[in-house]
C-alpha cells in the first residue's frame, strides 16, 4: 500500500515588516493583531482584523499600521471599571447634577434609570457603538415617546461621550453619526391646542370677567406672557404702576432631594431663579393689565387680604401654590362647561404669544417678551401661527419689488 502524504498544518510563519501578528484560527479564518495605542499604565491596545486568506489579513494589518503611523498611537485610560452605567452615573453626579434645577435633575435621572441603563448598563463603554445606539433610537421612536424626550436623551448621551473621549475612556464619540427620526409630527390642529382657540377666546374672557379672583390672574397671564411659576412668585415690589412695567426677577421652583442611587426622597418648593437668565426681563403692561391690578388691589383691601405677593392665597395671605391655582382653573372650567377644552395655566401664556404673532409682531420681539433664550424656540413652538396669509403677503411683497426692478426708466434726453 503506497504511503499517504501527510497534510501539513498551516503555520503563522515569520511576520513581514509592518505585518503585526498574523495567524490562522481553528475555524480556518485568518486574523492579525496590531498595536494601535497604549493604556495610561503602559499596557498595549491591540486591534484585531480578520480575513479569509493570509494575504487579505496582511493587507488589513498594513493599512492599520499605516493609520497608526499617520495619526499616532491612541492613549486610553487604564481604569478597569469602565462599565457604561458606572461612568455615566459618575459623570452625571459630579459634573451635571450640581448645575441643574432639581426637577430637571429628577427628569434626567429618570431618563437614565428607565431608558439608558437598562439598554446599555451591562456593556463596557467601548462596546456602546454607533450601530447599537442607532438601533436603540430607532426603537424608541416607535414607542410613542415624544421627539423632545428622545432628543434630550441623545443630547445627554452626546455630552457624556464627549466627556468620555476627554478622559480617554473611548477614542471617538459614537453619538455623532446617530440620526434621530421623528415617528410623525403633530398636526397643526394639535399644535394650536396649546393656545385658546380663536372661536372660544371671547367666551372664556367674558366668563373670566365675572370672577373677581381669576380675572386679574388670567388677564395678567394673557397680556404679559408670564409663566405660572413667575406669576405665583410675583410681589408688589416688582410692579410699577406709574411706569406700567413688571420686573420678572424670580420664580417658584420645585425642589428635590436624592439618595445615593438618585431616587427622590423628598419634595418641596422655594422661590429662586427664573427658568433661564434670559427669563429675567421687564415687561411693559398694557392698560388692561394696569386696570386689572389696580382693581385687584382695591379688592384685597376691601376683603382684608394682606400680602407681599401680588396673587396670594386669599385665605392665608401666603404664597399661592401651583396646584391651588390649577384647582381654581379646573373649577372655573367645570362651572362654565369648558372641561373638554385643553385649557391649562400655560394656555394663557401660549395665547399671548399666538396673538402677537397673529398680529405679525416680529418673532425676535416675541422671543424677548416670552423670555426665550433663542428665537428658534419661539418659531418652533408657534410655527402653526404662520398661516397661508403670511405666505401670500410675502408673494405680494416680492411682486412689488420685482416690478420696481423691471420698471423701464424714461430715456435720457442727452442720448437722443
Amino acid at each position: 500500500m503506497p504511503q499517504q502524504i501527510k497534510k501539513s498544518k498551516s503555520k503563522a510563519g515569520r511576520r513581514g515588516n509592518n505585518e503585526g501578528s498574523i495567524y490562522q484560527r481553528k475555524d480556518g479564518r485568518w486574523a492579525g493583531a496590531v498595536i494601535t495605542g497604549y493604556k495610561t499604565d503602559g499596557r498595549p491596545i491591540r486591534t484585531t482584523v480578520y480575513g479569509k486568506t493570509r494575504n487579505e489579513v496582511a493587507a488589513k494589518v498594513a493599512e492599520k499600521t499605516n493609520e497608526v503611523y499617520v495619526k499616532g498611537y491612541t492613549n486610553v485610560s487604564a481604569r478597569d471599571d469602565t462599565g457604561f452605567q458606572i461612568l455615566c452615573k459618575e459623570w452625571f453626579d459630579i459634573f451635571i447634577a450640581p448645575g441643574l434645577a432639581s426637577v430637571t435633575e429628577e427628569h434626567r435621572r429618570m431618563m437614565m434609570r428607565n431608558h439608558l441603563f437598562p439598554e446599555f448598563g451591562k456593556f463596557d463603554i467601548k462596546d456602546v457603538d454607533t450601530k447599537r445606539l442607532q438601533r436603540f433610537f430607532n426603537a424608541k421612536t416607535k414607542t410613542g415617546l415624544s421627539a423632545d424626550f428622545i432628543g434630550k436623551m441623545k443630547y445627554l448621551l452626546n455630552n457624556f461621550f464627549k466627556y468620555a473621549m476627554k478622559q480617554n475612556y473611548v477614542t471617538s464619540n459614537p453619538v455623532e453619526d446617530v440620526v434621530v427620526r421623528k415617528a410623525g409630527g403633530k398636526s397643526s390642529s394639535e399644535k394650536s391646542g396649546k393656545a385658546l382657540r380663536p372661536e372660544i377666546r371671547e367666551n372664556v374672557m367674558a366668563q373670566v370677567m365675572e370672577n373677581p379672583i381669576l380675572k386679574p390672574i388670567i388677564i395678567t397671564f394673557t397680556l404679559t406672557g408670564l409663566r405660572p411659576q413667575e406669576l405665583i412668585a410675583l410681589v408688589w415690589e416688582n410692579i410699577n404702576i406709574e411706569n406700567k412695567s413688571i420686573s420678572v426677577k424670580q420664580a417658584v421652583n420645585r425642589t428635590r432631594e436624592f439618595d445615593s442611587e438618585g431616587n427622590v426622597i423628598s419634595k418641596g418648593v422655594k422661590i429662586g431663579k427664573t427658568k433661564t437668565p434670559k427669563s429675567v426681563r421687564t415687561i411693559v403692561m398694557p392698560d388692561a393689565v394696569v386696570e386689572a391690578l389696580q382693581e385687584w388691589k382695591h379688592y384685597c383691601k376691601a376683603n382684608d387680604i394682606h400680602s407681599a405677593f401680588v396673587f396670594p392665597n386669599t385665605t392665608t395671605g401666603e404664597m399661592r401654590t401651583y396646584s391651588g391655582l390649577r384647582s381654581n382653573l379646573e373649577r372655573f372650567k367645570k362651572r362654565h362647561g369648558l372641561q373638554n377644552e385643553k385649557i391649562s395655566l400655560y394656555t394663557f401664556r401660549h395665547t399671548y404669544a399666538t396673538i402677537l404673532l397673529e398680529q405679525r409682531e416680529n418673532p425676535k420681539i416675541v422671543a424677548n417678551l416670552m423670555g426665550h433664550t433663542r428665537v428658534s424656540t419661539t418659531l418652533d413652538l408657534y410655527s402653526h401661527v404662520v398661516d397661508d396669509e403670511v405666505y401670500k403677503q410675502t408673494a405680494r411683497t416680492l411682486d412689488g419689488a420685482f416690478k420696481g426692478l423691471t420698471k423701464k426708466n424714461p430715456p435720457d434726453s442727452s442720448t437722443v
Side-chain angles (χ1 to χ4, degrees):
M1 183 176 180
Q3 187 176 1
Q4 292 183 342
I5 300 175
K6 292 183 179 181
K7 294 182 180 179
S8 61
K9 294 184 178 180
S10 299
K11 295 183 179 180
R14 293 184 66 124
R15 290 173 287 159
N17 290 336
N18 297 326
E19 282 188 351
S21 175
I22 299 177
Y23 56 94
Q24 190 174 28
R25 306 192 322 172
K26 290 182 179 180
D27 61 3
R29 295 184 69 199
W30 286 83
V34 181
I35 295 177
T36 55
Y38 290 89
K39 294 186 177 182
T40 52
D41 63 356
R43 286 182 292 172
I45 303 167
R46 290 184 173 85
T47 299
T48 304
V49 294
Y50 302 94
K52 294 181 180 179
T53 66
R54 190 180 194 284
N55 288 340
E56 181 184 350
V57 172
K60 290 181 179 180
V61 167
E63 183 181 348
K64 279 288 180 187
T65 303
N66 185 62
E67 187 178 312
V68 172
Y69 176 77
V70 173
K71 296 182 179 180
Y73 284 121
T74 298
N75 294 315
V76 175
S77 172
R79 177 174 171 170
D80 291 326
D81 54 342
T82 55
F84 173 89
Q85 183 167 335
I86 292 172
L87 294 180
C88 189
K89 186 177 182 302
E90 179 182 85
W91 162 74
F92 187 84
D93 289 342
I94 297 173
F95 297 100
I96 305 303
L100 296 178
S102 58
V103 175
T104 305
E105 181 184 349
E106 180 185 6
H107 290 167
R108 297 298 177 271
R109 289 188 183 280
M110 178 274 294
M111 184 183 290
M112 293 188 295
R113 185 171 57 249
N114 295 348
H115 299 275
L116 301 183
F117 293 163
E119 183 72 21
F120 307 116
K122 60 185 176 182
F123 296 108
D124 189 272
I125 186 173
K126 69 178 185 302
D127 295 324
V128 182
D129 57 14
T130 300
K131 289 182 181 179
R132 194 181 300 278
L133 286 164
Q134 187 65 66
R135 285 193 291 267
F136 168 75
F137 281 107
N138 289 348
K140 290 301 177 183
T141 58
K142 298 177 182 179
T143 60
L145 289 174
S146 72
D148 179 65
F149 185 85
I150 293 174
K152 286 175 181 175
M153 276 202 293
K154 182 183 176 183
Y155 181 78
L156 185 74
L157 281 169
N158 187 52
N159 286 337
F160 167 59
F161 275 102
K162 284 181 180 179
Y163 160 80
M165 283 182 65
K166 290 179 181 178
Q167 298 298 315
N168 293 323
Y169 298 136
V170 293
T171 58
S172 61
N173 182 354
V175 184
E176 286 182 350
D177 294 325
V178 171
V179 179
V180 175
R181 299 173 179 86
K182 292 184 179 180
K186 292 183 179 179
S187 66
S188 267
S189 62
E190 290 174 316
K191 287 180 179 177
S192 61
K194 290 182 177 180
L196 283 174
R197 293 186 293 111
E199 57 268 29
I200 71 163
R201 288 177 194 171
E202 187 176 341
N203 176 43
V204 171
M205 296 312 295
Q207 301 297 343
V208 164
M209 292 298 179
E210 302 300 320
N211 189 311
I213 294 177
L214 278 183
K215 176 183 174 180
I217 293 174
I218 300 304
I219 288 178
T220 303
F221 266 145
T222 309
L223 299 182
T224 65
L226 289 174
R227 295 181 177 91
Q229 298 90 333
E230 295 168 346
L231 181 133
I232 291 171
L234 201 62
V235 292
W236 285 110
E237 190 178 296
N238 302 143
I239 306 291
N240 190 321
I241 296 293
E242 185 177 343
N243 292 334
K244 299 182 179 181
S245 65
I246 296 177
S247 297
V248 183
K249 299 179 179 180
Q250 59 189 21
V252 172
N253 298 317
R254 288 179 288 174
T255 60
R256 300 289 186 271
E257 288 188 18
F258 304 90
D259 61 18
S260 59
E261 297 300 316
N263 299 308
V264 177
I265 55 177
S266 69
K267 299 181 179 183
V269 294
K270 68 175 183 179
I271 294 179
K273 295 179 180 179
T274 55
K275 185 175 182 181
T276 66
K278 189 74 174 178
S279 298
V280 177
R281 61 201 188 278
T282 298
I283 300 172
V284 177
M285 294 185 289
D287 288 341
V289 176
V290 175
E291 292 171 7
L293 289 178
Q294 288 176 324
E295 185 179 315
W296 174 243
K297 259 193 168 183
H298 293 310
Y299 178 90
C300 290
K301 186 176 181 180
N303 289 274
D304 201 27
I305 301 171
H306 304 285
S307 178
F309 294 102
V310 177
F311 300 111
N313 180 307
T314 53
T315 302
T316 64
E318 297 177 355
M319 184 181 73
R320 186 183 290 269
T321 64
Y322 190 99
S323 59
L325 185 55
R326 186 171 53 197
S327 296
N328 285 348
L329 179 61
E330 291 303 314
R331 287 194 293 271
F332 170 82
K333 286 165 59 178
K334 185 175 182 180
R335 190 179 306 119
H336 299 288
L338 298 167
Q339 301 98 312
N340 295 328
E341 294 292 335
K342 295 179 180 179
I343 302 176
S344 68
L345 295 177
Y346 265 93
T347 296
F348 304 100
R349 172 174 161 83
H350 293 310
T351 302
Y352 168 77
T354 299
I355 291 173
L356 288 176
L357 292 170
E358 284 173 349
Q359 298 302 313
R360 311 295 182 250
E361 183 57 84
N362 187 322
K364 174 66 175 175
I365 300 296
V366 178
N368 288 338
L369 292 170
M370 295 284 285
H372 287 159
T373 303
R374 296 180 295 273
V375 180
S376 59
T377 303
T378 308
L379 293 174
D380 287 344
L381 287 170
Y382 304 103
S383 59
H384 60 283
V385 180
V386 184
D387 55 20
D388 291 340
E389 184 56 35
V390 175
Y391 296 111
K392 291 176 183 176
Q393 180 58 46
T394 301
R396 288 194 290 268
T397 300
L398 290 171
D399 281 336
F402 185 72
K403 287 177 182 177
L405 290 171
T406 57
K407 185 178 181 181
K408 293 183 178 180
N409 295 318
D412 190 339
S413 58
S414 63
T415 62
V416 178

